[in-house]
Amino acid sequence: MTYSQFDYIIIGAGSAGCVLANRLSEDGQHQVLLLETGGSDKSIFIQMPTALSIPMNTRKYAWQFTSDPEPYLDNRQMHCPRGKVLGGSSSINGMVYVRGHAGDFDEWQALGAEDWGYAHCLPYFRKAETWAFGGDAYRGDTGPLAVNNGNNMQNPLYRAFIDAGVQAGYPATADYNGMQQEGFGAMHMTVKNGRRWSTANAYLRPAMQRDNLTVVTHALVERILLDGQRAVGVRYSRKGQTQEVRCRAEVILSAGPIGSPHLLQLSGIGRPEVLQAAGIEVQHALPGVGENLQDHLEFYFQYRCQQPITLNGKLDWWNKLLIGTRWILKKDGLGATNHFESCGFIRSKAGVPWPDLQYHFLPAAMRYDGKEAFDGHGFQLHIGHNKPKSRGFVRVRSADPAEAPQIRFNYLQHEDDREGFRACVRLTREIIAQPAMDPYRGEEIQPGRGVQSDEEIDRFVRQAVESAYHPCGSCRMGEDELAVVDSQTRVHGLEGLRVVDSSIFPSIPNGNLNAPTIMLAEHAADLIRGREALPASDLPVRGDAQWQSRQRLQAAMRPAS
């Protein structure tokens, strides 16, 4: 069956797609179709923040992708879940809100993404959000996306970690999403009134009340339809039936950093040798499709806690029942937070201009699947080197849209990335050795005191790192021969086709990717509608003026033992 009444077809109801569905339908003048392979997000396990590990590891709500054996990680295959539900990955993620450093977006512009520097992006960050503590020049107060600090660091371990960072010679930051990212402070999350505030809740659900927006779930898009060099529609399957739908204006691909390059390749758009190897006829040669894949790695630095104040005492079935019941009745308590309520952003060495290491502090010692790491009480820091130079790829395997693509990140391929993780281990030990942690710090469980030399650290990292679930860059924005879209998000060499999601990031920001993905979609919506961009900002950014010669502001109070 073929329909032709739509102006815009958006593929993917994820972090970017939900924003676009709202913004492109808000004037009531255009018919918009949003296609999503997954289904409803109305599950307690999605909406209750503390249950975040469940949807991420559930096939109903997430594509459970796996990488090729990674050659620089002892050939481990890495888990790469991506949202398959209304809200996409914003419905399965950790709800951490980090914009990234201003330098990250100026880096985008330097790499060829014109008008995507920090001055151009900041107004769209502000437009998207409502910051719980009031708007200012850096933070918004009227946007759809609610941002707060969960339970406001009630557990004393959160404050102790921040104090330890300051004692180690780093600055405190009152708002790492404002003037100053570098330093230690409270962490922000996308939660509203105790519920996960995904883009489905923030953007899509209000827009679904409009007559000019049609949302179709359980629709697997098989290919983008081309008429010569113009995209004219899509083909998708639903409930065993194949359907084609046409558009008058544009097809907008928002299937994410794995799905977007894969669908372009299924449509015959990509590197010719990759398409031919998969038995797909080349419709438009574009060699950068699927290349430039990036991701963040992290590992857990775990310690025993000398006081019985951690979440490890809340992991039995009775306490989980109490937490869940309270959340159902009141939408507050431990069920209403992701538990990452303090954080840090630091530089790995002198000569690095802005932070490239990120901490998430958790007052518990557990794995991402929510299981205990050891008996007793403990705490952990998620730490990663966030500006990797290693690059991977996404490549179609066959013409079957149901077959997952080949994914290889080439994690730790570059020596600078390995050096960054050595800094993670050594700098973290120094921070936790500070006096603020004395009442709490017990035995180091992981990596363990036996891990000291470069070789020992490298071996530990290869075996222990996990994805932070921040893939991006596989349809890079720019103007060179390996760029996939231009600065207007239009696919090079084709008409009527754009890509709008984290796949078009030229480089990976220092932080979680949900906030910059939402910002990108807000900005792209104005580009698509032909509206004048929001006025660029001229606000200053605070950093260390002596970054070339020092790694932190001052010496630590106490060196690592």
Side-chain angles (χ1 to χ4, degrees), residues 79-96:
H79 185 213
C80 182
R82 308 307 302 155
K84 187 179 66 173
V85 62
L86 292 179
S89 291
S90 75
S91 289
I92 69 165
N93 68 2
M95 292 154 284
V96 175

Side-chain angles (χ1 to χ4, degrees), residues 74-326:
D74 295 341
N75 289 316
R76 294 167 56 203
Q77 290 184 275
M78 303 295 281
H79 185 213
C80 182
R82 308 307 302 155
K84 187 179 66 173
V85 62
L86 292 179
S89 291
S90 75
S91 289
I92 69 165
N93 68 2
M95 292 154 284
V96 175
Y97 183 85
V98 182
R99 293 175 173 180
H101 192 274
D104 294 318
F105 305 102
D106 291 340
E107 183 178 72
W108 286 10
Q109 183 144 304
L111 290 170
E114 185 180 353
D115 292 338
W116 287 91
Y118 180 68
H120 305 93
C121 292
L122 177 57
Y124 288 99
F125 278 120
R126 294 187 70 253
K127 179 181 180 180
E129 76 168 349
T130 291
W131 173 227
F133 301 101
D136 59 27
Y138 295 88
R139 305 304 299 265
D141 58 3
T142 59
L145 192 70
V147 183
N148 62 29
N149 180 239
N151 284 334
N152 298 316
M153 300 194 300
Q154 294 179 19
N155 191 304
L157 282 165
Y158 292 122
R159 176 55 58 184
F161 174 64
I162 295 171
D163 292 344
V166 174
Q167 291 169 355
Y170 302 99
T173 178
D175 182 358
Y176 65 84
N177 285 310
M179 179 185 292
Q180 176 185 325
Q181 186 190 59
E182 187 166 6
F184 287 74
M187 183 162 255
H188 310 158
M189 64 186 73
T190 49
V191 173
K192 181 177 182 180
N193 298 328
R195 295 176 60 205
R196 173 193 291 273
W197 211 240
S198 65
T199 56
N201 284 332
Y203 285 90
L204 182 59
R205 197 144 280 118
M208 289 175 71
Q209 307 303 313
R210 301 170 186 156
D211 292 338
N212 63 320
L213 174 63
T214 301
V215 180
V216 179
T217 56
H218 305 293
L220 177 65
V221 177
E222 298 178 345
R223 66 181 297 129
I224 297 161
L225 302 175
L226 299 177
D227 183 1
Q229 298 301 107
R230 182 174 185 83
V232 295
V234 303
R235 178 182 301 157
Y236 68 93
S237 59
R238 185 173 188 269
K239 296 182 178 180
Q241 300 293 317
T242 298
Q243 301 190 46
E244 290 187 359
V245 59
R246 305 270 170 165
C247 68
R248 289 185 285 266
E250 294 185 304
V251 174
I252 305 162
L253 183 51
S254 297
I258 307 301
S260 287
H262 187 218
L263 189 51
L264 288 175
Q265 292 166 345
L266 286 168
S267 306
I269 303 166
R271 186 181 291 269
E273 57 268 34
V274 171
L275 304 181
Q276 291 161 357
I280 297 173
E281 182 180 354
V282 178
Q283 300 294 325
H284 180 64
L286 203 56
V289 173
E291 304 301 308
N292 195 51
L293 180 65
Q294 302 159 60
D295 190 19
H296 287 149
L297 284 174
E298 65 179 13
F299 67 87
Y300 314 151
F301 224 115
Q302 295 178 328
Y303 289 85
R304 292 192 182 275
C305 186
Q306 297 188 92
Q307 297 189 31
I309 58 173
T310 73
L311 295 175
N312 288 75
K314 304 290 185 181
L315 296 178
D316 61 280
W317 70 268
W318 175 245
N319 273 291
K320 286 182 176 179
L321 178 62
L322 292 177
I323 291 168
T325 300
R326 176 172 176 172

